Amino acid sequence: HEHHNATIIMVSHSMEDVARTVDRLVVVNDGAIPYHGTPEEVFRHGQELEDMGLGVPQMTRVFNRLRSMGVDIGPSVFTTEQAKTAVLAKLGKGCK
């Protein structure tokens, strides 16, 4: 898509696929667009997405739970790679 400057539209309920694949996303709910932007911007609204029946990536749920348990870790984790980076940074080891 970058080579031809094309837009690809992907329709999915798999937030894991969306998080790994897209640069920008649009959430459509009952004909309205409540959220749009980067995955980071949209997945910040995890509870609202779940209330719409969409949810968030599993990794985001794990990190939300860690934060609710008092772990000081950033809110924008929705892929395995981001989780690895966040955990290693938290442990002070950097990412290799």
Side-chain angles (χ1 to χ4, degrees):
H1 78 31
E2 291 176 2
H3 177 71
H4 294 288
N5 195 28
T7 298
I8 297 173
I9 297 174
M10 175 179 155
V11 178
S12 179
H13 281 264
S14 170
M15 295 301 106
E16 282 76 19
D17 289 343
V18 169
R20 282 191 308 270
T21 308
V22 305
D23 297 322
R24 300 193 57 77
L25 63 136
V26 176
V27 176
V28 179
N29 185 44
D30 291 330
I33 299 174
Y35 305 106
H36 62 90
T38 65
E40 178 179 86
E41 293 167 337
V42 173
F43 290 138
R44 284 185 190 152
H45 303 279
Q47 186 59 55
E48 293 89 344
L49 293 170
E50 289 184 358
D51 292 345
M52 289 179 221
L54 289 177
V56 295
Q58 289 293 326
M59 200 57 66
T60 301
R61 288 186 187 149
V62 169
F63 276 73
N64 285 344
R65 179 74 174 125
L66 288 171
R67 275 190 301 284
S68 75
M69 295 169 64
V71 177
D72 182 23
I73 200 155
S76 299
V77 176
F78 39 85
T79 67
T80 304
E81 188 60 36
Q82 290 169 333
K84 175 185 169 185
T85 301
V87 169
L88 289 174
K90 186 69 180 166
L91 295 173
K93 302 198 181 224
C95 192
K96 295 180 181 182

